[in-house]
C-alpha cells in the first residue's frame, strides 16, 4: 500500500465530520425548507466572498473580474463536475451583481432614487442584475431540493 493511500485511509478512519455530516444530511432531507434556506445562504456567502476577492486583488477591476471568472470557470469544469450543486459560476455572477446594486440600494434607501424619473430608472436598472441573480438561485435551489427530497417528479 503506497503512502498516499495509507494517509487517505487514516484520514477516512478518523474523519470526525462523517457522523455529523450524515446527521445534517438526514435532517435536511426531512426539512426541505431548512435545506433551501441553507443552500441560498451558501450561494450568498460564496458570492459575497467572491466579491471580496475581486475587490481585494491588486489589479484593475476588469483584470480582477477576468481572474475571478477564469478561476470560477476552471473550478466549475474540474471540481464541480462531481458535485451535486454548482456554486462557482452563480457566485461569480452574484459577485458582479452586488457591487452594481450597492449604490442603487443606497440611493433607494436614502430616497435619492425617487428624486426624478431618471434617478429612479438608473437605480432600477442597476438593481436588475442582483434581482436576476437572486431569482436564479432561489428558483434553482427550490427545484434542486424538491427533486432531491422527492417532492418533484
Amino acid at each position: 500500500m503506497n503512502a498516499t493511500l495509507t494517509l487517505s485511509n487514516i484520514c477516512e478512519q478518523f474523519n470526525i465530520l462523517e457522523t455529523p455530516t450524515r446527521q445534517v444530511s438526514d435532517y435536511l432531507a426531512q426539512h426541505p425548507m431548512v435545506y433551501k434556506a441553507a443552500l441560498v445562504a451558501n450561494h450568498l456567502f460564496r458570492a459575497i466572498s467572491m466579491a471580496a476577492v475581486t475587490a481585494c486583488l491588486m489589479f484593475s477591476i476588469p483584470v480582477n473580474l477576468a481572474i475571478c471568472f477564469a478561476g470560477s470557470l476552471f473550478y466549475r469544469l474540474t471540481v464541480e463536475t462531481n458535485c451535486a450543486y454548482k456554486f462557482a459560476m452563480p457566485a461569480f455572477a452574484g459577485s458582479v451583481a452586488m457591487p452594481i446594486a450597492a449604490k442603487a440600494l443606497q440611493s433607494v434607501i436614502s430616497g435619492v432614487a425617487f428624486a426624478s424619473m431618471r434617478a429612479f430608472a438608473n437605480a432600477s436598472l442597476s438593481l436588475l442584475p442582483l434581482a436576476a441573480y437572486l431569482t436564479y438561485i432561489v428558483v434553482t435551489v427550490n427545484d434542486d431540493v424538491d427533486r432531491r427530497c422527492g417532492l418533484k417528479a
Side-chain angles (χ1 to χ4, degrees):
M1 187 179 291
N2 65 27
T4 56
L5 188 56
T6 302
L7 180 60
S8 179
N9 288 339
I10 291 170
C11 289
E12 192 65 35
Q13 184 179 0
F14 295 104
N15 182 358
I16 61 171
L17 294 178
E18 184 177 345
T19 300
T21 299
R22 199 173 330 107
Q23 291 171 339
V24 168
S25 179
D26 292 344
Y27 177 83
L28 292 176
Q30 297 299 317
H31 300 88
M33 291 305 290
V34 177
Y35 198 178
K36 291 174 186 181
L39 286 174
V40 168
N42 273 304
H43 270 285
L44 293 173
F45 174 78
R46 286 171 175 249
I48 291 167
S49 299
M50 180 66 69
V53 167
T54 303
C56 290
L57 289 174
M58 62 187 131
F59 307 107
S60 66
I61 294 295
V63 173
N64 292 354
L65 287 173
I67 291 168
C68 288
F69 175 77
S72 296
L73 184 60
F74 182 73
Y75 187 83
R76 170 65 182 93
L77 295 174
T78 57
V79 176
E80 284 186 343
T81 56
N82 301 314
C83 296
Y85 298 103
K86 312 297 189 244
F87 287 102
M89 297 310 291
F92 174 75
S95 75
V96 173
M98 287 177 184
I100 292 171
K103 273 197 165 165
L105 283 173
Q106 289 174 346
S107 68
V108 167
I109 291 168
S110 68
V112 172
F114 305 107
S116 69
M117 285 302 285
R118 183 177 185 178
F120 181 74
N122 284 339
S124 297
L125 286 174
S126 295
L127 290 171
L128 277 178
L130 183 62
Y133 166 70
L134 292 173
T135 301
Y136 173 80
I137 64 170
V138 167
V139 168
T140 302
V141 163
N142 185 60
D143 188 54
D144 286 346
V145 171
D146 284 353
R147 264 196 243 140
R148 290 191 183 286
C149 293
L151 303 173
K152 193 181 244 182

